[in-house]
Amino acid sequence: MAQVDTAETEEAAAVGGGDTGAGTRRAGIRRAIHRGSRPEPWKRGLVLAALALLLGLLMLLHAMIPNGIWNLGSLVETFLPWFGLFIPVLLAGALWRRSASAVTALLLPVMVWLNVFGGQFGDRSHPGGDLTVVGHNVGADNPDPAGTARELAASGAEVLALQELTQQDLGTYERELAKAYPFHAVQGTVGLWSRLPLADTRMVDIKMDTGPLGDAKPAALKTAYARGLRTTVATGQGPLAVYAAHLGSVRVNPRAGFGTVHRDRGAQALGEAIAAEQNERVVLLGDLNGTMDDRAFAGITSRLRSVQDAAGEGFGFSWPAKFPVVRIDQILVKGVKPQSSWVLPATGSDHRPVAARISW
């Protein structure tokens, strides 16, 4: 009986071994078929490749995105630098999919982004300079206007432009800045303080009030809420025309899109005022509620250049003050040389002050 059992066991082992060999061969065939049926690296991740190309074209051709629907073109241009964040996301997906096509397609957005914004990472500033200017939206709800005024005076600026001044806080700023700045001019909600004499100050109408209701407002009321001024600063090298402005706010609405009507109208009016300026040397300091990539400012940027772009370091984001993600507070010049540009520490405002040093 024991001999029979041994024979049966040996036979079963032989049969089992044959099954194992056949199973191994079948598994190998299946793996070969699977490998052969898998797409090659150039055929994998085609959706990721398409998204990469779309991202590159969007950044390259942003000026061609129409504003007819939700003001989409201006919205994209406002946050254009941040589109670079999609690049590492797409790269991670391409590596996970082992997609050669997606990795190659990413070269387009990488090259476009570096071409447009790569220079922002270097320090473009130069030593020296003849005049320091500072612009700051001090905030209508600023809980500490006196402290803000003292911080601005400590900046050492010769010329200081403030926006969003309120009637209740104006006296505080005048009192706190009087010692450092013997000359100042105010038009409505914007003002300019200077260590140097001022002349020819006048309001710049940025068209906040239009249509029948705007026309019906008395001139005194319009002046009280003016958001732009122009004055002449008497420097040792000759007159300098200085503009201070606060353009209309923008809003993002899910139904209406990017609302910029008041700002765009103000930008056009400000551009026209600068175009008519007779002085060869011009400085514009203001909360323009937009970035200089936005097409709405073409009338301004065609005549003035950004000091931050020419002589700053990094992007110079100024808003919101706690965690700035966009630069809407600008210093632009003509007829003078930008030497350096920087962002000052936060004050009690929801904007950060911006500063620049210029030379003749």
Side-chain angles (χ1 to χ4, degrees):
M1 188 66 179
Q3 292 178 349
V4 173
D5 289 343
T6 302
E8 289 177 352
T9 301
E10 291 175 351
E11 184 180 355
V15 173
D19 288 345
T20 301
T24 302
R25 287 193 296 272
R26 286 195 296 271
I29 294 172
R30 285 196 299 268
R31 284 194 298 269
I33 293 174
H34 180 67
R35 284 195 298 268
S37 62
R38 288 176 64 187
E40 297 177 0
W42 289 102
K43 296 181 180 179
R44 291 197 296 266
L46 293 181
V47 173
L48 289 171
L51 290 174
L53 292 175
L54 183 62
L55 176 62
L57 291 174
L58 183 145
M59 292 191 293
L60 180 64
L61 305 175
H62 63 85
M64 299 180 65
I65 300 174
N67 263 345
I69 301 176
W70 297 332
N71 219 20
L72 190 59
S74 285
L75 181 60
V76 168
E77 289 165 341
T78 298
F79 297 100
L80 197 58
W82 293 101
F83 280 85
L85 292 179
F86 289 108
I87 294 175
V89 174
L90 291 173
L91 178 60
L95 295 176
W96 179 70
R97 291 282 289 136
R98 298 180 182 178
S99 170
S101 58
V103 171
T104 302
L106 276 169
L107 291 175
L108 176 61
V110 168
M111 295 302 295
V112 172
W113 195 93
L114 289 176
N115 181 63
V116 177
F117 300 111
Q120 301 288 344
F121 292 102
D123 185 358
R124 303 174 298 281
S125 64
H126 307 281
D130 299 307
L131 191 74
T132 300
V133 296
V134 167
H136 189 30
N137 180 328
V138 294
D141 299 321
N142 191 325
D144 185 18
T148 297
R150 288 192 293 268
E151 291 179 46
L152 293 172
S155 69
E158 283 85 14
V159 175
L160 179 63
L162 306 185
Q163 305 92 41
E164 213 165 291
L165 294 167
T166 62
Q167 289 299 314
Q168 60 267 31
D169 291 337
L170 177 58
T172 300
Y173 286 107
E174 290 177 327
R175 182 173 60 255
E176 295 294 336
L177 295 172
K179 183 177 180 180
Y181 300 96
F183 308 97
H184 84 281
V186 175
Q187 290 286 324
T189 63
V190 295
L192 192 132
W193 277 256
S194 174
R195 300 179 191 273
L196 304 170
L198 303 177
D200 302 325
T201 301
R202 62 176 181 270
M203 183 185 82
V204 176
D205 186 3
I206 60 169
K207 309 297 182 183
M208 291 296 294
D209 298 307
T210 59
L213 291 178
D215 294 340
K217 285 186 177 181
L221 184 60
K222 289 184 178 182
T223 301
Y225 292 96
R227 296 174 68 147
L229 70 79
R230 183 265 184 214
T231 192
T232 300
V233 178
T235 75
Q237 288 76 24
L240 175 70
V242 178
Y243 288 77
H246 181 196
L247 300 186
S249 299
V250 299
R251 297 286 185 270
V252 178
N253 187 304
R255 294 184 178 181
F258 192 39
T260 63
V261 173
H262 296 292
R263 186 206 66 182
D264 293 354
R265 189 168 58 235
Q268 181 178 353
L270 187 57
E272 292 171 355
I274 293 170
E277 174 61 52
Q278 298 298 308
N279 200 315
E280 295 181 355
R281 295 171 174 168
V282 180
V283 174
L284 166 62
L285 303 112
D287 172 7
L288 303 188
N289 272 309
T291 70
M292 295 300 94
D293 294 313
D294 193 327
R295 67 196 68 181
F297 298 100
I300 296 174
T301 56
S302 63
R303 298 178 176 89
L304 307 178
R305 61 171 172 163
S306 165
V307 177
Q308 177 64 28
D309 289 346
E313 182 178 5
F315 290 96
F317 294 149
S318 63
W319 183 89
K322 291 184 178 180
F323 188 78
V325 297
V326 67
R327 184 182 178 91
I328 60 176
D329 302 277
Q330 310 291 347
I331 302 177
L332 299 105
V333 300
K334 181 183 77 169
V336 297
K337 183 179 179 181
Q339 294 294 130
S340 55
S341 176
W342 64 98
V343 179
L344 294 170
T347 67
S349 172
D350 58 338
H351 294 245
R352 291 196 181 189
V354 293
R357 187 115 177 111
I358 60 175
S359 62
W360 311 117

